[in-house]
Amino acid sequence: MLLALCRFSAYPVPTVLLAVLVGLLGLSANPVLSALAVRFAGVAPTLGVAMSVSGYNLGTAVDSGIAGSALESGLGATGPALVGTGIAALTLVPTIAIAVLCHRTPGGGGA
């Protein structure tokens, strides 16, 4: 969707629709990730979810700065979407690591 946003960023209606879809689908991952944080936190589930939410907030702050810089660059309006695409791709690293860990652990879970 972010790549489509890059392509259609010059058109208001598709841009708004894609931005809404990115928000709906992107934010729907947070509860799942928080549940995984609690699951893998062992005896400290509250700390696990607190760290998870802190990570979301830190990522939002840092990524907003990077996207703002991209907006001011020669990329223009497509810059933030390109930054978001790269960051979304980077999220596959821990996702795959967790999937591998779950697959290798007897019972498919954490602690």
Side-chain angles (χ1 to χ4, degrees), residues 11-38:
Y11 307 100
V13 173
T15 298
V16 169
L17 292 174
L18 286 165
V20 168
L21 285 174
V22 166
L24 287 173
L25 297 175
L27 293 176
S28 66
N30 290 357
V32 174
L33 296 172
S34 291
L36 283 171
V38 169

Side-chain angles (χ1 to χ4, degrees), residues 10 21 78 100 102:
L21 285 174
T78 60
V100 168
C102 285

Side-chain angles (χ1 to χ4, degrees), residues 48-84:
V49 77
M51 294 297 291
S52 173
V53 172
S54 295
Y56 305 151
N57 291 332
L58 178 63
T60 299
V62 171
D63 298 342
S64 294
I66 295 169
S69 296
L71 184 61
E72 294 174 348
S73 75
L75 297 171
T78 60
L82 287 172
V83 168

